[in-house]
Amino acid sequence: MEAGAFYLLLLALTGISSTLSFYGDSITFQPAHKQKDGTYKVTFHHRQNGRSSCQDMPLYTCESEVCTSFVESSVLQTDQDDTGQGRWCQSEMHATATVLKNQTSFSLNQSGCCWGSNVDGKTKWTSEAELDLGSRSDSHALNSCPLTTTVSSLRVPQNCFSPIHILAHDPDGDHVRCRFSSDAAAPANFTLDESKCVLSTKGEVDVGVHVFELMLEDFSRKNITLTYADGTSVFREGSDMNSPPLCKVKLQFSMEILPPLSSCEHGHVQPMFLSKTPSHGDVLHASMGQKFKLYAQAKATEASINDFQVSGPQNMTKEFKAGEQGTAELILSWTPQHSDLYRIVPVCFTAETNQSQSDMRCVVVLVTQAALIQGTATVTCSPNKMTVALDKSSMPGIDVNFLQLIDSSCSLTSNGTHIMGVMSFSTCGTKLLDKGDFLVFANEILSYELPSEVIIRRKAVKIEISCQFPKTVSISSYYNLQKSDYIFTESNFGSFGYTFEIYNDNNFTSKVEASNYPVEVRLLDTIYMGIQAESELPSVTLFVESCKATPNTNPENVLFYDLVKNGCLKDETVVVYPSNQNTYNFEVQAFKFSGNYEQVYITCSVILCEPGTPYSRCAQGCLSDPSRRRRRSLVKETFSHSITQGPFRFIGHADPIAAMDQNLAVVKKSPAMDVKPGVMTKSRPIAEVIVPSVLLEDTESSSGRWGIEEILSANTSTFVFASAFFVSMVMLVGVVVYFTRKRNEEDCKVLLNSSYDN
């Protein structure tokens, strides 16, 4: 970024800047873009921190040989201490430069005096920012700089320091590195996690004001090429932290270390944010010309919350409400203007008491066109699902046929007044979020476009819906251990759902209780499972297209084993029981994956069809050739949905065939066996040899497996016998390899009988 760089120079306002106390600042860029005439439009916002007065700020100018125009706004104070104590204030200005097309980077650099009084003895401050003007090969646009800011004054009790998370949001998804500025030493006993941008301490820090100067730099996560207006280009290797950054911005702030508190428990003297508050790093959405609101709530039972400190854009208003039992609420309101379109705005806030403040929360607000519809939705929350009803009158002209949830296979239904949908907490892309003292299940109603559409005249829709529950054992255990209720909505089928249960026997009436999850089984046990469909339609047919096992909850795991595939049974121990048309009951013999895997999950893909349709997937049944499947649009059937049950956890040893009475032990695998790595272990792995356990007494290895070498070294007196035994095992391996190519089940019996005969 060195070639062609230029600087915006500080106007001759040194008299003003030198008389003001400086407490930090931040610079953020709006997405820069190249204009039709080849020039670049670059807009940046500058926030500066103060204490009692923030009306004055050094201004910028751009020299004529660099810019064809330069327009700057007036300086407006955006926040102040409303208690009248003059503890903080912050102001913001912005400027837009039209940069000549021969430039390859855009740089800011200004310095002044003096920092406010601090224990580090720092006086001179320097603000810096630099943006590369090359077009990225991945996005075909100019790079977007990392976004960051802080509130004007951070305050932390000396004995209650918690790691401080600095906002480091990159709109391009690049890797952001935070480091202490090279021209400023780090304050004593403070450390910085450069990859996570988290500030911590490594020992006691002195009481008083400390100042921090950080540099945030972004690096592409993948290989890209930057192309400039003069035709030159440069290659940047992905995640190469030694290459020049695509952008760098300097963040400066102060932190006051307060005297120790009697208690460091959050929510007592130190305010604690409650679940209504957005999480740090959340990306929120605002529409141009429409009022945006942000709600935050905090609690301090042994101190009085008297204000919230905010770092936000110009014209954002702050409303403070004191509540009961030590609570207080913050409402931020802001109406983005046309100049804010596509701007990504950092907003930070803290809850304040006289003795301390809460942790700092920061979010980013993305401003989009007002065509983004929010609508009015009512959400009803149940223990395992949420139901949404969207008022059509709040969204005139919206076509329900082009609405979906996060999972595109989930659509919605409608009547004359409302658009409706039902989803369980484990389907349709519903996300589980940790919001402090609550668990939140969140989804979105979204509009979509057809791939074949060249133009559209429908408005975009984005409506967030969620349910929240206190962090109780019953709710969290239900969600994490027994995901047995799956509810979906599709426009032509209405709402329908599946239950996937584990049963105690083949009567399929006594379910395994949720308290018994994970379900403990032994190898060779019979597992009974059942799937049942429920629908708003009076009659439907359930079809199980596939079932497969994986060692974790990811059904796309590369390690899997098919039980049912394309409607065909693939495992010889699977038995399907006769049942009605909306139920699928089956049994399977317990198995495990070879290797260090102790759990198994079963995931099935299920479809509902209208009965009596000859060409539906349900009517086709087992397909040896999947290409013969009819197009879904020709028949009335649902999408294929995945449902998961488990885990099954294996305990003890395999429960062998009754006649064996556990008189067998396993010898380590022979490399000569023709078995693929990672296949599942059923009755016994075909790659393992079975021998009478009496021969292996007192020869167990540290890994719990039995090896031929361990048998030989266990006792010298048995060496000859063990050698003879080894020869017999080699012969036995040959027999196993031969017969496994015929019938596995019969060969296992031959193998067992041969072991006893020996």
Side-chain angles (χ1 to χ4, degrees):
M1 291 192 295
E2 291 80 3
F6 70 91
Y7 292 90
L8 291 177
L9 302 179
L10 186 66
L11 280 173
L13 297 175
T14 54
I16 296 177
S17 62
S18 61
T19 58
L20 295 176
S21 292
F22 181 80
Y23 289 92
D25 69 345
S26 63
I27 297 171
T28 58
F29 288 95
Q30 287 186 220
H33 65 274
K34 188 176 181 179
Q35 304 185 104
K36 292 182 179 180
D37 61 0
T39 60
Y40 300 95
K41 182 179 179 181
V42 181
T43 299
F44 66 93
H45 291 74
H46 180 217
R47 295 180 189 173
Q48 185 162 305
N49 306 330
R51 290 299 178 259
S52 58
S53 175
C54 289
Q55 295 293 339
D56 297 313
M57 183 189 296
L59 303 179
Y60 295 89
T61 187
C62 187
E63 297 179 353
S64 59
E65 63 268 21
V66 173
C67 298
T68 60
S69 68
F70 184 78
V71 180
E72 58 187 354
S73 72
S74 57
V75 177
L76 292 180
Q77 185 163 293
T78 56
D79 190 38
Q80 65 180 3
D81 180 3
D82 290 336
T83 66
Q85 301 178 57
R87 294 176 294 179
W88 71 80
C89 63
Q90 191 174 84
S91 57
E92 183 185 65
M93 60 81 65
H94 68 270
T96 299
T98 302
V99 183
L100 294 173
K101 59 184 178 181
N102 61 343
Q103 305 297 324
T104 60
S105 67
F106 178 94
S107 299
L108 296 172
N109 191 305
Q110 63 166 266
S111 59
C113 186
C114 293
W115 275 100
S117 177
N118 60 87
V119 299
D120 307 304
K122 292 185 178 180
T123 55
K124 184 179 178 181
W125 54 266
T126 302
S127 296
E128 297 178 54
E130 187 173 0
L131 167 64
D132 193 296
L133 294 177
S135 177
R136 297 173 57 129
S137 59
D138 57 346
S139 63
H140 305 290
L142 301 184
N143 184 67
S144 295
C145 289
L147 297 167
T148 188
T149 194
T150 67
V151 295
S152 181
S153 175
L154 290 170
R155 303 185 302 132
V156 184
Q158 186 184 42
N159 61 328
C160 302
F161 193 96
S162 298
I164 296 176
H165 294 259
I166 305 298
L167 179 65
H169 175 81
D170 191 274
D172 295 321
D174 293 334
H175 179 82
V176 179
R177 177 176 68 189
C178 299
R179 60 176 176 84
F180 288 114
S181 179
S182 55
D183 59 358
N189 293 335
F190 285 93
T191 62
L192 181 65
D193 186 325
E194 293 190 348
S195 62
K196 297 180 180 179
C197 212
V198 176
L199 187 66
S200 304
T201 59
K202 56 177 181 180
E204 188 174 274
V205 293
D206 294 335
V207 172
V209 176
H210 299 259
V211 298
F212 297 84
E213 300 174 69
L214 308 184
M215 189 68 74
L216 279 70
E217 303 165 323
D218 65 336
F219 303 84
S220 176
R221 296 182 184 273
K222 54 188 176 182
N223 296 343
I224 63 170
T225 299
L226 298 171
T227 304
Y228 301 96
D230 60 3
T232 61
S233 62
V234 61
F235 174 78
R236 295 290 172 83
E237 185 175 354
S239 299
D240 180 7
M241 312 300 267
N242 295 318
S243 64
L246 298 171
C247 181
K248 61 180 183 180
V249 291
K250 192 172 184 179
L251 173 67
Q252 303 180 97
F253 60 92
S254 64
M255 180 192 305
E256 183 180 4
I257 302 299
L258 302 171
L261 293 178
S262 58
S263 172
C264 292
E265 185 172 352
H266 288 281
H268 287 213
V269 179
Q270 282 188 292
M272 175 183 69
F273 282 119
L274 302 180
S275 59
K276 195 174 184 179
T277 309
S279 299
H280 182 80
D282 278 358
V283 178
L284 309 179
H285 296 268
S287 298
M288 183 186 70
Q290 296 182 2
K291 181 174 289 188
F292 164 82
K293 287 192 175 185
L294 184 152
Y295 298 89
Q297 190 176 40
K299 182 177 183 179
T301 58
E302 298 180 8
S304 176
I305 299 176
N306 50 40
D307 202 355
F308 285 85
Q309 192 176 170
V310 177
S311 174
Q314 292 184 2
N315 300 320
M316 175 174 275
T317 61
K318 177 176 70 175
E319 182 180 354
F320 173 84
K321 290 184 178 180
E324 298 178 350
Q325 299 179 341
T327 62
E329 187 175 85
L330 167 70
I331 304 175
L332 296 178
S333 301
W334 179 52
T335 303
Q337 303 303 307
H338 185 271
S339 60
D340 298 309
L341 185 60
Y342 306 124
R343 180 184 173 191
I344 307 176
V345 185
V347 178
C348 296
F349 47 90
T350 56
E352 302 289 330
T353 70
N354 288 334
Q355 300 90 340
S356 182
Q357 71 181 187
S358 67
D359 64 302
M360 181 175 65
R361 294 278 181 97
C362 298
V363 301
V364 294
V365 181
L366 173 61
V367 181
T368 60
Q369 289 276 11
L372 182 67
I373 301 296
Q374 292 295 331
T376 302
T378 301
V379 180
T380 303
C381 301
S382 302
N384 63 341
K385 67 181 180 181
M386 58 180 161
T387 304
V388 58
L390 178 64
D391 187 354
K392 281 186 174 181
S393 63
S394 67
M395 304 173 63
I398 294 302
D399 189 343
V400 68
N401 295 315
F402 291 91
L403 296 180
Q404 65 181 38
L405 300 169
I406 290 178
D407 183 342
S408 60
S409 66
C410 296
S411 53
L412 298 106
T413 60
S414 66
N415 58 24
T417 59
H418 288 83
I419 299 169
M420 298 160 293
V422 182
M423 70 223 71
S424 65
F425 296 146
S426 53
T427 61
C428 298
T430 303
K431 299 177 182 178
L432 173 62
L433 307 175
D434 189 335
K435 292 287 188 178
D437 49 347
F438 282 84
L439 289 176
V440 177
F441 298 90
N443 210 310
E444 295 176 351
I445 298 176
L446 303 166
S447 58
Y448 67 92
E449 303 167 9
L450 297 176
S452 59
E453 290 183 298
V454 178
I455 65 169
I456 61 170
R457 290 189 172 91
R458 298 184 301 273
K459 293 183 178 181
V461 178
K462 181 183 176 69
I463 303 170
E464 297 177 353
I465 54 178
S466 63
C467 289
Q468 67 176 24
F469 298 94
K471 279 188 174 177
T472 61
V473 175
S474 59
I475 290 293
S476 60
S477 296
Y478 181 90
Y479 180 77
N480 291 322
L481 298 182
Q482 191 183 16
K483 302 178 181 178
S484 57
D485 285 335
Y486 294 82
I487 301 169
F488 305 89
T489 301
E490 292 186 16
S491 55
N492 64 336
F493 247 82
S495 295
F496 56 94
Y498 304 97
T499 59
F500 193 2
E501 298 287 358
I502 303 172
Y503 293 90
N504 292 310
D505 53 44
N506 60 2
N507 290 323
F508 298 99
T509 55
S510 175
K511 301 176 184 178
V512 174
E513 296 297 328
S515 59
N516 293 327
Y517 282 70
V519 180
E520 295 183 341
V521 297
R522 298 176 185 271
L523 293 178
L524 305 181
D525 281 356
T526 300
I527 299 173
Y528 302 96
M529 307 183 75
I531 302 171
Q532 185 170 3
E534 296 181 358
S535 172
E536 294 177 345
L537 299 180
S539 179
V540 292
T541 297
L542 168 66
F543 181 71
V544 177
E545 189 171 40
S546 68
C547 287
K548 64 181 178 180
T550 55
N552 57 28
T553 56
N554 178 17
E556 304 303 323
N557 195 313
V558 294
L559 180 60
F560 67 91
Y561 177 73
D562 286 319
L563 302 177
V564 180
K565 185 176 182 180
N566 298 320
C568 308
L569 302 184
K570 291 297 183 181
D571 181 87
E572 65 272 17
T573 70
V574 174
V575 177
V576 179
Y577 286 74
S579 56
N580 59 41
Q581 63 184 13
N582 63 342
T583 302
Y584 186 90
N585 294 329
F586 66 99
E587 70 174 47
V588 63
Q589 197 174 71
F591 57 86
K592 64 174 292 188
F593 288 92
S594 60
N596 189 27
Y597 299 101
E598 296 302 323
Q599 296 190 151
V600 168
Y601 290 81
I602 306 296
T603 298
C604 295
S605 295
V606 289
I607 296 173
L608 288 184
C609 306
E610 188 177 44
T613 306
Y615 299 111
S616 70
R617 183 68 187 91
C618 303
Q620 288 177 306
C622 171
L623 288 179
S624 56
D625 181 8
S627 63
R628 294 174 51 209
R629 179 174 177 175
R630 299 274 182 168
R631 290 181 57 190
R632 179 176 169 269
S633 59
L634 300 178
V635 296
K636 190 170 183 179
E637 65 183 49
T638 67
F639 285 94
S640 178
H641 293 284
S642 294
I643 59 178
T644 300
Q645 187 55 278
F648 298 98
R649 178 174 296 168
F650 297 94
I651 59 173
H653 299 287
D655 185 12
I657 300 173
M660 301 301 295
D661 288 331
Q662 295 187 347
N663 286 328
L664 304 179
V666 179
V667 176
K668 66 169 60 174
K669 295 178 183 178
S670 165
M673 292 296 182
D674 183 20
V675 177
K676 296 179 181 179
V679 298
M680 65 71 144
T681 303
K682 281 200 301 189
S683 301
R684 281 189 179 87
I686 205 62
E688 295 181 338
V689 181
I690 304 170
V691 299
S693 60
V694 67
L695 300 179
L696 304 181
E697 291 181 358
D698 300 324
T699 62
E700 185 174 2
S701 70
S702 60
S703 63
R705 306 285 285 183
W706 301 99
I708 295 295
E709 299 87 350
E710 294 159 312
I711 296 173
L712 296 177
S713 61
N715 195 319
T716 306
S717 64
T718 62
F719 179 82
V720 175
F721 176 77
S723 300
F725 174 74
F726 178 78
V727 173
S728 68
M729 289 301 99
V730 173
M731 296 174 64
L732 187 58
V733 167
V735 173
V736 173
V737 172
Y738 175 78
F739 283 101
T740 52
R741 295 176 180 176
K742 294 184 178 181
R743 296 171 304 184
N744 290 342
E745 192 170 312
E746 292 181 4
D747 291 342
C748 285
K749 295 179 180 179
V750 172
L751 178 59
L752 297 176
N753 293 333
S754 299
S755 298
Y756 273 108
D757 292 339
N758 289 336

